[in-house]
Amino acid sequence: MKAGRGAALLAAVAASALALAGCGGGDAESDPNVLRLWHYESPDSAMGVAWNAAIKEFEKTHPGVKVEFEEKGFEQIQKTASMVLNSDDAPDIMEYNKGNATAGALSKQGLLTDMTAEVAERGWDKLIDPNVAVTAKYDDKGVMGGEKWFGVPNYAEYVMVYYNKELFEEHGVEVPTTMAEFTEALDAFVAKGVTPLTNAGAEYMAHQFVYQHALARADRTWIDSLQRYTGPVDFTDPAWTHGATTFKEWVGKGYVDKNTVGQKAEEAGVAFMKGEYPMMFSGSWWFGRVNAESKFDWGTFVWPEAKFTLGSSGNLWVVPESSENKELAYDFINITLQKHIQNQLGNAGGIPIAADPGAITDEKSKRLIADFNELAEGGKLAYYPDWPVAGFYDALVAQTQQIMNGEDPKEALSTLQTAYEDGLPE
């Protein structure tokens, strides 16, 4: 990076951080009767619906205390959190992404509250399955799977295939249950002049294709080495090579439109919900919106024959170390874990971690939750490729775009190797 460009980028990030903090009014004085809460879920998402209900209950059970909620953007918080949380303008509680490069990095910097004692006292550790809790707990180096709780999830998530039943029927395509059938379905749509899969090269969707293909050649040791530094990581190994070369082949075959290289995830999701694509490979975080906004009959299925797939706990409730209203923050987290809120989250299209299974009445939601439970209980959750080290998300986006633009996957993987090694904790 050239010095001038680097300075400009730092200035832009700093300005963005100040703007993010300034949204709250820039008041450094903490009000004991106000709980400042930030999250980035849309109001009609399952989490948005459930958390709005939790806010109402919190205010009802805490007379005189008001929740001051501000909706932020995922990318906004992702890029500026360390600056904001190191200022007087940090909220009392916020949603933050899990993983070494995000929650882990902030915990290592001392910006997040260690909630281990609170988790035990309130019994949250009894509600959260150990496989789900991995992403909430970090060690002194900020690596997930540690002993200290720096965040608390109240939902889970995974990546699946959403499909438009009407387009499948219109083009005479069967819903696949094996990879061979999946490839046949992709070819059938292409033969009809239809691009099968929506995509976003400028954000996470594209590199999640690469990772899912890589997982076909991976095992648990490979995943833990990448995510938790338990062994050597080689981006020229058979798994990563298969992932990158297969994705390039998919772009070349027209399964994914190469012109989506600069497209954002929001645009890709909206295009699917408008009925422009038969399928979308993305996360359960879209489920509520797809249900609310799609005008066609649709369904979901897990990536065929997947030994592993992308998934984990949901994002975390974290409490900034600078918060002066920590007890209020803990009370709010506790409400989001109560069964009636968890049930509401499940019926709105989320994956609750402490719901009453019999209270989930929506059929699509039942399928969503059942598929997740099967993945979790089978040890098939492989987390996300951008988690391991700080800055790796941007590296993955850039190198996946290079692959879409025709670059040799070996070059992209070599660059990822350098980015990964440069980001490893000391």
Side-chain angles (χ1 to χ4, degrees):
M1 180 182 291
K2 295 181 179 179
R5 184 180 175 190
L9 178 59
L10 288 174
V13 171
S16 177
L18 290 173
L20 179 61
C23 291
D27 183 6
E29 294 293 325
S30 177
D31 186 339
N33 293 315
V34 174
L35 177 68
R36 295 183 63 209
L37 182 154
W38 292 359
H39 73 66
Y40 40 78
E41 307 295 342
S42 62
D44 58 354
S45 70
M47 285 67 73
V49 168
W51 297 349
N52 282 338
I55 288 172
K56 291 177 181 178
E57 179 163 334
F58 177 91
E59 291 183 336
K60 182 179 179 180
T61 56
H62 293 72
V65 179
K66 178 176 176 56
V67 176
E68 188 178 279
F69 163 62
E70 295 179 30
E71 183 179 343
K72 305 296 182 182
F74 174 85
E75 296 281 338
Q76 187 182 27
I77 290 181
Q78 176 96 345
K79 293 182 183 297
T80 62
S82 61
M83 292 184 182
V84 173
L85 297 192
N86 208 18
S87 73
D88 292 332
D89 295 284
D92 297 305
I93 180 174
M94 63 183 273
E95 177 188 14
Y96 196 54
N97 199 14
K98 64 278 176 198
N100 303 342
T102 45
L106 295 191
S107 70
K108 183 182 177 183
Q109 295 170 41
L111 297 176
L112 302 182
T113 301
D114 176 358
M115 294 188 280
T116 306
E118 199 69 29
V119 169
E121 182 178 334
R122 294 182 182 250
W124 296 337
D125 53 342
K126 303 297 190 298
L127 298 175
I128 302 170
D129 185 276
N131 288 326
V132 175
V134 169
T135 57
K137 302 163 71 177
Y138 296 85
D139 64 18
D140 293 340
K141 292 184 178 181
V143 180
M144 66 180 184
E147 297 300 321
K148 297 179 180 179
W149 292 73
F150 284 98
V152 178
N154 78 321
Y155 71 102
E157 63 182 37
Y158 68 105
V159 175
M160 73 205 83
V161 180
Y162 295 80
Y163 70 101
N164 183 323
K165 292 183 178 181
E166 295 175 14
L167 286 180
F168 269 70
E169 184 176 347
E170 177 185 340
H171 295 288
V173 179
E174 296 292 325
V175 178
T177 58
T178 67
M179 274 306 296
E181 291 174 356
F182 195 13
T183 302
E184 289 174 5
L186 296 171
D187 286 333
F189 279 117
V190 170
K192 299 287 183 67
V194 177
T195 301
L197 291 153
T198 192
N199 179 55
E203 289 184 349
Y204 57 83
M205 281 189 182
H207 66 237
Q208 290 184 352
F209 279 114
V210 174
Y211 190 56
Q212 183 64 64
H213 284 304
L215 290 172
R217 300 288 190 274
D219 58 20
R220 178 54 63 183
T221 299
W222 184 94
I223 294 165
D224 286 343
S225 295
L226 174 72
Q227 300 284 354
R228 301 172 65 184
Y229 321 139
T230 57
V233 173
D234 180 4
F235 282 83
T236 66
D237 68 13
W240 279 113
T241 300
H242 175 74
T245 56
T246 303
F247 180 65
K248 183 177 181 178
E249 290 171 2
W250 277 32
V251 175
K253 291 179 178 180
Y255 299 168
V256 171
D257 186 350
K258 65 180 180 180
N259 293 323
T260 59
V261 66
Q263 186 161 268
K264 301 280 190 178
E266 174 69 14
E267 298 171 278
V270 168
F272 172 75
M273 291 185 286
K274 285 183 176 179
E276 296 173 7
Y277 293 86
M279 287 177 279
M280 175 173 71
F281 179 59
S282 198
S284 51
W285 50 86
W286 284 101
F287 195 95
R289 282 189 66 186
V290 172
N291 200 35
E293 298 179 29
S294 298
K295 306 302 182 185
F296 50 82
D297 191 14
W298 60 278
T300 62
F301 59 87
V302 175
W303 189 272
E305 296 184 300
K307 295 191 299 179
F308 301 98
T309 198
L310 298 86
S312 69
S313 78
N315 291 322
L316 307 173
W317 288 124
V318 299
V319 177
E321 182 60 38
S322 60
S323 171
E324 295 183 16
N325 291 324
K326 292 180 181 178
E327 285 300 320
L328 294 179
Y330 301 150
D331 287 351
F332 180 79
I333 293 172
N334 196 58
I335 289 173
T336 68
L337 286 167
Q338 299 306 302
K339 280 198 182 297
H340 60 290
I341 298 295
Q342 288 282 293
N343 294 344
Q344 189 166 350
L345 190 153
N347 279 311
I351 303 173
I353 60 175
D356 175 4
I360 309 302
T361 58
D362 178 79
E363 290 302 319
K364 285 188 173 69
S365 295
K366 285 183 178 180
R367 170 69 182 270
L368 175 79
I369 296 167
D371 284 346
F372 174 81
N373 289 339
E374 184 175 338
L375 291 169
E377 291 165 6
K380 295 182 178 181
L381 300 177
Y383 314 124
Y384 295 85
D386 56 293
W387 283 9
V389 298
F392 205 56
Y393 177 89
D394 292 336
L396 277 167
V397 169
Q399 295 312 307
T400 305
Q401 287 180 312
Q402 292 291 82
I403 292 172
M404 291 186 69
N405 285 328
E407 181 176 297
D408 184 343
K410 291 181 180 179
E411 295 296 325
L413 293 174
S414 176
T415 301
L416 289 178
Q417 182 81 46
T418 300
Y420 180 85
E421 292 175 355
D422 287 349
L424 288 172
E426 298 179 358

